[in-house]
């Protein structure tokens, strides 16, 4: 059986998983931008915290969704 991906509104309970996805995607997929420079990467990742994601989710006008597969968050998109 193939796991289907679902998209739903992000919830506060997703904050830790959202942080993990954001940090991994920046670290792995944005090498051309940060060049594996530890300082540049640390700067880029510094605000990717559970507390900040919770704050982003609570902002009026913010719309964030997560993609899930087998119940686990595997993607995130946001606009505000």
């Amino acid at each position: 059986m193939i796991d289907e991906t679902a998209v739903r509104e992000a919830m506060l309970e997703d904050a830790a998983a959202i942080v993990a996805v954001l940090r991994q995607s920046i670290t792995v997929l944005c090498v051309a931008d940060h060049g594996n420079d530890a300082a540049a990467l640390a700067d880029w990742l510094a605000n990717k915290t559970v507390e900040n994601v919770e704050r982003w989710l609570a902002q009026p006008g913010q719309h964030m969704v997560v993609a899930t597969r087998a119940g686990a968050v595997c993607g995130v998109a946001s606009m505000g």
Side-chain angles (χ1 to χ4, degrees), residues 3-71:
D3 287 326
E4 291 191 29
T5 301
V7 177
R8 63 168 171 77
E9 193 72 28
M11 300 178 289
L12 285 175
E13 305 84 64
D14 297 319
I18 290 169
V19 169
V21 168
L22 290 172
R23 293 177 68 86
Q24 174 136 5
S25 69
I26 291 166
T27 301
V28 175
L29 301 175
C30 299
V31 173
D33 297 305
H34 58 68
N36 284 323
D37 177 84
L41 189 53
D43 285 346
W44 199 346
L45 297 176
N47 71 338
K48 307 318 183 274
T49 65
V50 171
E51 296 78 15
N52 279 341
V53 169
E54 289 173 344
R55 198 173 5 258
W56 298 338
L57 285 167
Q59 287 180 350
Q62 181 67 33
H63 183 68
M64 188 178 290
V65 296
V66 292
T68 61
R69 180 169 279 182

